[in-house]
Amino acid sequence: MSRMRAALIGEAGVGVASAALKEVGRRAVAVPPRCRCPGPARAPPPAHGAELRHGGQRRRPAGARAPRRRRGRAEGRRGLREPAQRRRARHAHGGRGRGGDHGAHHHVPRGLGQGIAGSVATLLHDAVMNPAEVVKQRLQMFNSPYTSVLGCVRAVHRTEGFGAFYRSYTTQLTMNVPFQAIHFITYELMQEHLNPQRQYHPQSHIVAGAVAGAVAAAATTPLDVCKTLLNTQENTALSSLKIRGHLSGMANAFSTVYQLGGVPGFFKGVQARVIYQMPSTAIAWSVYEFFKYVLTKRALEKKPAS
C-alpha cells in the first residue's frame, strides 16, 4: 500500500514537473530571447556648438558659434602685415587711402602734389597768355604811345617782330611757376589748420586764399619786376644805363634792376602787388570751392542708391 502511494506521488511530481517545463518552453517561444551580442556603438550626444551631419552636409545647431578656421603660416603672416599696410596707406592719403596688394606705394604729400599740379598748369597757361600780358603792360606804361589793343599788337609786330610777344616767356615761367607752387602749398597748409575736415566752409576758403595769394605775391615780387622790365623795355631806364637795343634774358634783367635800384629795387611795388593778389586769389578759391561743392552734391543726389 505504501509502495503504491509512493508510486502515485512520484508520477504526480513528474507530471507537474513536465507541465512546468512545457509552460516554460511555450513562453520562451512567445518571447524571443534578448540578444547579448555586441551591436553598433552609438555616437555620443554632440556637445554645444559641435557640427552635426544631416543628409551628407554639415549643420550647426541653432545658436551655435561658427568654429574658427585655422590659417596657415603664410596666410597668418600676410594677415599680420595687412593692417600695417593699410595704416601706411591711410597716412599717405590723408586718412582716406587703401594699401595695394603688392606692397606699400610711395605717394606725394598733399601740399607738394598740389604745388606740382599748379606749376605744370602754369606752363600751358603762360604759353597762351604771355602775348596778352605783353600788350597789357605796354598799354599800362607811363606816356604809352599805344591807344588800343589792336594798334599795340600791330605796332609791336611791325617794329620788333613776333618774338617780342614771347621775349619774357622764360621770365614769366620763372616767376609764375614758383608763384603757383607757393600759392597752392600755402592754401593747402591753411586749409589743414582752418578746415581740417575739408568741408565747404566759405570763410576758411576766403581767408586761406587771401593769405596764399599774399605770400606768393610777396615772395615772387623780384621776378615780377624783372619780367615787367623785359616786357616794357622802358627807354628811360635803358637810356640811363646807356643800353642800346632791346633787353633780353633773365640775367640781364636782374643786372639792370640791381644797377638801377639795388636790392630795394627788386621789391618796388610789393605792396600794390600783394593788395592786388589777395582779393584775386580769395575770390578765385571761394568760387572754385563753391562750384565744387554744388557739383559734388548734385552728383551724389543723382547717384542711385545701392
Side-chain angles (χ1 to χ4, degrees):
M1 190 70 176
S2 59
R3 290 180 180 179
M4 187 179 295
R5 185 180 297 175
L8 291 174
I9 293 172
E11 290 178 1
V14 172
V16 172
S18 177
L21 291 174
K22 289 180 180 181
E23 182 67 19
V24 171
R26 185 180 63 78
R27 291 184 178 181
V29 172
V31 179
R34 181 177 298 178
C35 180
R36 297 187 178 182
C37 59
R42 293 184 179 180
H48 180 69
E51 295 181 347
L52 299 177
R53 292 186 178 270
H54 178 71
Q57 298 180 355
R58 293 186 176 183
R59 184 181 64 181
R60 289 194 305 273
R65 296 179 60 183
R68 297 183 61 183
R69 184 174 62 90
R70 296 185 63 184
R71 297 183 298 181
R73 182 176 300 177
E75 185 180 358
R77 288 197 300 267
R78 185 168 61 252
L80 292 176
R81 285 199 305 268
E82 287 178 355
Q85 292 178 357
R86 287 196 293 268
R87 286 196 299 270
R88 289 194 296 268
R90 285 196 299 270
H91 178 72
H93 282 279
R96 293 183 292 272
R98 293 185 60 187
D101 296 333
H102 302 287
H105 299 279
H106 297 284
H107 299 281
V108 180
R110 178 181 298 274
L112 183 58
Q114 297 291 343
I116 294 174
S119 301
V120 173
T122 303
L123 298 176
L124 181 60
H125 170 270
D126 288 352
V128 177
M129 296 303 298
N130 197 81
E133 184 73 13
V134 171
V135 174
K136 179 184 72 89
Q137 291 184 351
R138 294 287 180 112
L139 292 172
Q140 290 176 340
M141 287 192 309
F142 180 72
N143 293 329
S144 175
Y146 310 107
T147 58
S148 65
V149 174
L150 292 179
C152 180
V153 171
R154 293 192 187 100
V156 171
H157 184 267
R158 183 176 60 254
T159 58
E160 303 179 32
F162 183 78
F165 295 102
Y166 286 94
R167 185 178 292 123
S168 63
Y169 179 62
T170 56
T171 309
Q172 186 94 345
L173 291 179
T174 307
M175 182 197 72
N176 286 343
V177 168
F179 176 87
Q180 295 298 342
I182 297 172
H183 178 199
F184 277 79
I185 292 174
T186 306
Y187 180 81
E188 289 295 327
L189 294 177
M190 292 295 297
Q191 283 292 292
E192 290 291 339
H193 293 283
L194 299 177
N195 189 17
Q197 289 79 19
R198 295 309 178 100
Q199 300 176 351
Y200 176 65
H201 193 265
Q203 291 81 2
S204 68
H205 302 321
I206 292 174
V207 173
V211 173
V215 173
T220 58
T221 296
L223 299 173
D224 185 62
V225 171
C226 296
K227 181 203 72 172
T228 303
L229 179 61
L230 290 174
N231 282 339
T232 59
Q233 299 288 322
E234 294 186 48
N235 293 327
T236 304
L238 298 180
S239 60
S240 64
L241 297 178
K242 298 180 180 180
I243 298 177
R244 296 180 180 181
H246 300 290
L247 184 67
S248 62
M250 193 67 173
N252 293 331
F254 267 95
S255 176
T256 303
V257 171
Y258 184 77
Q259 292 177 17
L260 290 173
V263 175
F266 290 101
F267 291 93
K268 285 186 177 181
V270 62
Q271 295 179 351
R273 180 171 164 80
V274 169
I275 293 173
Y276 165 77
Q277 289 292 344
M278 286 184 67
S280 175
T281 52
I283 294 172
W285 278 112
S286 59
V287 173
Y288 167 78
E289 294 288 353
F290 170 75
F291 279 100
K292 177 182 176 182
Y293 168 75
V294 171
L295 295 177
T296 304
K297 186 178 180 181
R298 287 185 178 180
L300 293 176
E301 290 176 352
K302 292 181 180 180
K303 186 177 180 180
S306 56

